């Protein structure tokens, strides 16, 4: 009688065999590419801390959007640097702002491309915080009124999805009410429900000129030591009308993604943030890693953890590789 040897390696014997039994598949249709728009015309300036990412004027953002759509990427998220800043961030709902102009121009040029509008105030306020200040404290309820203005203005410009990233309590309900009252009931809300106060945002703050002028954002963004709190935020946002739930950052928080996926039926998004991107780019430029292999492995890990949507600066490269 022979001892039975269990041989899982049989299912790894060739590429076709591995593909046949693969549990998780990464697709270009999972990806969203962030675009940074700035005032002016014919502007294309590389962001120093984010290689191969650019500040673009609206005209160049439109040309990039056409290429993105041609690659099969279904959506872009628009961030912007305003013409002006003030105490309440009023440039965030100015219809002549680069963000609103880019949303409108891209939707006209590439109507099939989904456009996500980031709703926050940090890059528009003179103090760099995500809402209206009362002394050194961000006034939650007064900020909600401003976020409503931003969301409606982006929907008017043509955004398909509104993504509040401010982490104010009650903002999903406030934005949903404002959108519905202005006949935008079909506009989706993708809530940054689980957004941690993370060190991985550094390059983005350079790109969006959004670093706080004093203190930090720990009074409203989540403590990275907490996981049970994440589910509280998720359930609150779903109860307020969020259609899609986001976890941000991605790579250091895949345990959170997995927990969220196990508890809800809504689509789950992750944001593969600027610091995660910059580390990979720096290591690749030094020849320390195989960039393609690392990127595809990382993005697949996000899908494996439970993400349906991946917002990533790697989207253009990944689309070509896939």
């Amino acid at each position: 009688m022979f001892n039975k040897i269990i041989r899982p390696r049989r299912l790894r014997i060739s590429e076709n065999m591995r593909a046949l039994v693969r549990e998780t598949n990464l697709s270009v249709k999972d990806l969203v590419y962030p675009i940074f728009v700035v005032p002016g015309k014919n502007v294309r300036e590389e962001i120093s801390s984010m290689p191969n990412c650019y500040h673009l004027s609206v005209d160049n953002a439109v040309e990039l959007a056409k290429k993105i759509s041609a690659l099969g990427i279904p959506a872009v998220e628009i961030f912007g640097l305003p013409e002006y800043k003030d105490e309440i961030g009023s440039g965030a709902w100015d219809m002549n702002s680069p963000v609103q102009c880019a949303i409108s121009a891209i939707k006209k040029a590439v109507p099939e491309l989904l456009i996500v509008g980031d709703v926050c105030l940090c890059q528009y306020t003179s103090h760099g915080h995500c809402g209206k200040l009362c002394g050194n404290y961000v006034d939650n309820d007064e900020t909600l009124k401003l976020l409503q203005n931003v969301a409606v203005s982006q929907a008017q410009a043509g955004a398909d999805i509104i993504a509040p990233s401010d982490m104010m309590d009650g903002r999903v309900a406030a934005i949903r009410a404002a959108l519905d009252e202005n006949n935008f009931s079909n506009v989706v809300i993708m809530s940054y429900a689980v957004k941690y106060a993370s060190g991985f945002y550094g390059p983005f703050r350079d790109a969006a000129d959004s670093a706080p002028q004093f203190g930090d954002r720990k009074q409203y963004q989540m403590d990275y030591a907490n996981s049970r709190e994440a589910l509280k935020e998720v359930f609150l946002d779903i109860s307020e009308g969020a259609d899609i739930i986001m976890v941000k950052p991605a790579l250091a928080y895949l345990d959170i993604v997995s927990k969220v996926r196990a508890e809800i039926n809504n689509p789950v998004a992750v944001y593969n943030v600027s610091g995660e991107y910059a580390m990979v780019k720096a290591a690749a430029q030094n020849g320390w890693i195989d960039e393609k292999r690392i990127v595809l492995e990382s993005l697949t890990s996000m899908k494996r953890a439970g993400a349906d949507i991946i917002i990533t600066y790697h989207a253009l490269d990944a689309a070509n590789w896939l």
Side-chain angles (χ1 to χ4, degrees), residues 193-196 222-235 247 252-261 263:
V194 184
K195 182 178 181 181
Y196 286 92
M222 286 179 54
D223 184 342
Y224 62 71
N226 293 355
S227 63
R228 294 190 300 271
E229 184 184 9
L231 292 177
K232 178 195 290 187
E233 292 282 6
V234 166
F235 292 140
V247 176
Y253 297 87
L254 294 183
D255 61 318
I256 306 300
V257 178
S258 182
K259 282 189 175 185
V260 171
R261 173 75 287 157
E263 293 289 337

Side-chain angles (χ1 to χ4, degrees), residues 14-34:
S14 68
E15 175 54 35
N16 279 342
M17 183 64 75
R18 292 190 294 272
L20 186 66
V21 300
R22 188 162 290 139
E23 299 173 22
T24 304
N25 288 286
L26 180 68
S27 165
V28 67
K29 296 300 182 185
D30 303 323
L31 307 177
V32 178
Y33 187 69

